[in-house]
Amino acid sequence: MDPVAEGIWRISAPIPYPMKYVNLYLLEGDGLVLVDSALDTAPARAAIEEGLAERRAAPRDLDTVVLTHHHPDHYGLAGWFEEMGVPVYMLDVAIQRDHAWWSRFEPWLEQSTAHFREHGMPEAFIADLREVMEATRRRIRPHRAPLSLTSGQPIALAGQRYTVHWTPGHADGHLVLLRDDGVLIAGDAILDRITPNVGKWVGSRPDPLGDFLNSLERLRGLEPKRALVGHYGPAIEDVPARIAEIEQHHRERLQALERALAAGPRTAWELSLVLFPQEGLSTAQRRFAWAETLAHLVHMEGLGRVRRVPETPVRYQLVP
Ligand SMILES: [Zn+2]
């Protein structure tokens, strides 16, 4: 491994998703800290063990694990570390909201199914999707006693001072860590090559896209010198330029939705097929496309540009 910033090493852990790897960051100095945790699979555990072995350490030697958010590829091994006695931290918002996705999975799956139906997903697709979600759950080992961080809180990690910042949007309880020298550990709050998925899931905050755009503004204001990201990368050197590209992407997507809605009321599912016409998307990718479309619709609803037709499944129409 080469360091990606002073005292920070990247461990690329394999994940069985199109992105192929999740970047975990090992902070080494006065202590040893891991940011994010990959899925609970043998190849991911081996990647973590090998990365730590290069620094002459083992997983149980970690002082702390910090999770940027609760998505499976960042969270899946939380319980593995906890079982070794390593304290695992998340943002307080994530513990209150997102952690239940995995710790109370069955009710969440049922609520999600109702939410999928409400927004036009076909029954056969829902059946496939439930299987995908159950398979994902088998690759997750939730921690029983998550420890809490608060936005704005200064925290010493491996002897360096960081500040925790809440950046909702990609996930309600997403956090980033800003080191005093301007190095930002960004998780999936911004990414290179792809834009972070912003979805309206069951139980999500009211306007995830609005949250996400506000979080980009907040990141811009932090003036990071470089951002270490959760996939691809590892580093974004010109953070303001990348933020501007992501903002432009969402403006264009909102315009594309307006054009698609000009043909009459549509469900989020129908619109997702217009916005994401690619064939061969996996069930999970189609679900992301649907949730992203719904997040944009809900955002437009908040701006008064669309409204719901009061029937089930919910259809959206332009406000004339
Ligand atoms: Zn994520």
Side-chain angles (χ1 to χ4, degrees):
M1 291 189 295
D2 295 319
V4 291
E6 195 192 334
I8 304 183
W9 309 81
R10 173 174 65 153
I11 298 175
S12 291
I15 48 174
Y17 300 145
M19 293 172 289
K20 294 199 170 68
Y21 293 94
V22 58
N23 296 327
L24 318 179
Y25 292 100
L26 182 64
L27 320 182
E28 189 187 37
D30 184 9
L32 199 59
V33 173
L34 187 66
V35 179
D36 283 335
S37 84
L39 281 170
D40 187 13
T41 64
R45 289 193 301 271
I48 292 170
E49 284 166 345
E50 284 162 23
L52 281 160
E54 277 193 48
R55 308 309 307 154
R56 289 179 218 76
R60 66 178 173 280
D61 298 327
L62 290 165
D63 296 300
T64 304
V65 169
V66 178
L67 305 179
T68 58
H69 62 299
H70 72 292
H71 290 166
D73 46 340
H74 296 256
Y75 169 104
L77 281 165
W80 187 57
F81 289 109
E82 187 184 55
E83 287 158 25
M84 292 176 209
V86 180
V88 181
Y89 285 84
M90 298 178 86
L91 195 68
D92 47 10
V93 181
I95 295 170
Q96 287 150 20
R97 306 181 65 94
D98 309 330
H99 180 57
W101 280 33
W102 309 118
S103 58
R104 293 190 297 111
F105 177 72
E106 289 302 329
W108 174 72
L109 182 62
E110 296 315 317
Q111 289 160 22
S112 292
T113 299
H115 179 57
F116 297 150
R117 261 188 206 121
E118 187 186 3
H119 289 284
M121 239 184 226
E123 287 302 321
F125 185 87
I126 292 175
D128 287 349
L129 186 49
R130 286 176 59 101
E131 281 180 27
V132 168
M133 291 163 75
E134 282 165 343
T136 299
R137 177 62 186 83
R138 289 193 287 275
R139 292 178 175 140
I140 305 267
R141 222 188 293 189
H143 44 331
R144 290 170 211 281
L147 297 164
S148 156
L149 297 171
T150 304
S151 190
Q153 172 184 348
I155 181 175
L157 298 172
Q160 299 253 23
R161 218 181 86 115
Y162 290 78
T163 311
V164 177
H165 293 277
W166 182 35
T167 49
H170 175 70
D172 281 356
H174 194 289
L175 68 77
V176 298
L177 297 166
L178 181 67
R179 198 162 72 176
D180 276 3
D181 66 354
V183 172
L184 181 78
I185 302 180
D188 291 349
I190 49 169
L191 294 171
D192 228 350
R193 291 182 52 185
I194 57 169
T195 58
N197 176 252
V198 180
K200 178 80 173 98
W201 309 102
V202 71
S204 284
R205 282 166 50 82
D207 179 8
L209 180 59
D211 282 346
F212 182 73
L213 296 172
N214 289 337
S215 291
L216 290 179
E217 198 59 57
R218 180 168 192 172
L219 288 177
R220 184 184 273 127
L222 296 179
E223 299 183 356
K225 290 207 183 74
R226 60 197 318 222
L228 307 179
V229 291
H231 304 279
Y232 304 115
I236 297 174
E237 304 295 343
D238 190 344
V239 176
R242 183 58 187 147
I243 288 173
E245 285 172 4
I246 296 172
E247 288 170 336
Q248 177 62 18
H249 165 82
H250 289 290
R251 275 194 293 273
E252 288 170 7
R253 185 143 284 164
L254 290 167
Q255 288 161 1
L257 258 181
E258 286 208 0
R259 285 195 298 275
L261 280 163
R266 294 279 184 278
T267 66
W269 175 261
E270 291 163 342
L271 290 162
S272 75
L273 299 174
V274 177
L275 254 57
F276 300 86
Q278 304 91 321
E279 302 212 349
L281 290 188
S282 68
T283 302
Q285 287 170 314
R286 269 276 151 239
R287 179 193 51 168
F288 283 127
W290 165 86
E292 179 117 7
T293 303
L294 186 56
H296 284 72
L297 286 166
V298 166
H299 185 66
M300 289 169 78
E301 193 180 11
L303 297 173
R305 285 154 67 182
V306 303
R307 64 179 171 222
R308 292 165 175 233
V309 181
E311 57 190 35
T312 308
V314 174
R315 292 188 299 156
Y316 288 87
Q317 66 182 174
L318 286 176
V319 173

